[in-house]
Amino acid sequence: MSTTQKHFRPSWDEYFMAIARIAATRASCDRLHAGAVLVKDKRIIASGYNGAPPGLPSCDEIGHLLEDGHCVRTIHAEHNVLLQVARLSGSSTEDSTLYATYSPCIHCAKYLVAAGIKRVVFGKVYRNSDVIEYLKSAGIDVDIYQENKEWLGKLQDLFSGEVDDKKAKEGVIKMKVVK
């Protein structure tokens, strides 16, 4: 008698936070590897990470550009998401949800308010917890993501090997080429 393990289907928050964490791997400032995903109607409209503007050297390449102890060479992940929407997608940010690995700084929080973001979900508070109240006072729902250990285990399994080589139960589909 064989037991079949049930497929684990993550919640929307789990799914989008995992993608934000993957986006963070592209970050090019080692002071903080941050990632963000902007979602509207359960569809990703943009993703971003902290890094230099396109075409300019990054911190990883030439070092940090510091002002008052902060690196200003990079554009933050949250800001990059909004810029990507403005430049590429033609979508509206109104009533969207931002998933981010860290809470936004006050500057990014201002941009999120101005962009009409309705919800922010983040993994960890970064530097200033007052930003949470700032966002809430602007009418934005704020949630600190609670990691699901089962989902984290599934993610580790997902990336620990090759893509499964499976075929549909119906068998091989033969296609007729029309000339």
Side-chain angles (χ1 to χ4, degrees), residues 17-31:
M17 280 301 292
I19 295 170
R21 289 177 76 170
I22 291 170
T25 66
R26 292 283 305 149
S28 59
C29 178
D30 65 5
R31 290 173 59 94

Side-chain angles (χ1 to χ4, degrees), residues 4-178:
T4 305
Q5 190 175 8
K6 186 178 181 230
H7 170 72
F8 182 89
R9 189 169 190 219
S11 71
W12 287 112
D13 284 356
E14 290 164 344
Y15 174 74
F16 292 125
M17 280 301 292
I19 295 170
R21 289 177 76 170
I22 291 170
T25 66
R26 292 283 305 149
S28 59
C29 178
D30 65 5
R31 290 173 59 94
L32 184 70
H33 291 155
V37 177
L38 192 61
V39 174
K40 189 169 184 172
D41 300 323
K42 298 182 179 148
R43 304 280 187 262
I44 296 170
I45 59 173
S47 64
Y49 51 87
N50 58 323
L56 294 177
S58 70
C59 297
D60 289 351
E61 296 168 322
I62 63 169
H64 301 288
L65 178 59
L66 297 177
E67 281 185 9
D68 299 323
H70 299 281
C71 183
V72 295
R73 184 175 308 286
T74 64
I75 300 172
H76 293 183
E78 303 89 343
H79 196 177
N80 259 328
V81 160
L82 298 175
L83 293 170
Q84 188 180 97
V85 172
R87 194 165 176 197
L88 300 175
S89 78
S91 295
S92 168
T93 56
E94 191 75 30
D95 295 329
S96 60
T97 298
L98 179 88
Y99 290 88
T101 51
Y102 298 96
S103 59
C105 71
I106 190 63
H107 300 291
C108 289
K110 292 184 293 187
Y111 308 146
L112 297 174
V113 170
I117 306 302
K118 73 173 179 181
R119 181 174 179 236
V120 173
V121 180
F122 62 85
K124 300 279 185 217
V125 172
Y126 182 68
R127 291 194 182 195
N128 186 354
S129 61
D130 291 341
V131 76
I132 297 169
E133 286 308 312
Y134 178 86
L135 291 168
K136 287 180 177 180
S137 72
I140 296 176
D141 294 329
V142 178
D143 293 305
I144 300 174
Y145 175 70
Q146 301 299 312
E147 289 187 342
N148 176 335
K149 291 187 188 296
E150 183 181 8
W151 172 231
L152 289 176
K154 297 294 181 183
L155 280 174
Q156 287 176 338
D157 292 346
L158 182 66
F159 289 102
S160 66
E162 293 184 19
V163 174
D164 288 341
D165 186 16
K166 292 187 177 187
K167 294 186 178 165
K169 293 177 184 176
E170 294 81 24
V172 177
I173 297 173
K174 295 180 182 178
M175 302 217 18
K176 182 178 178 181
V177 178
V178 180

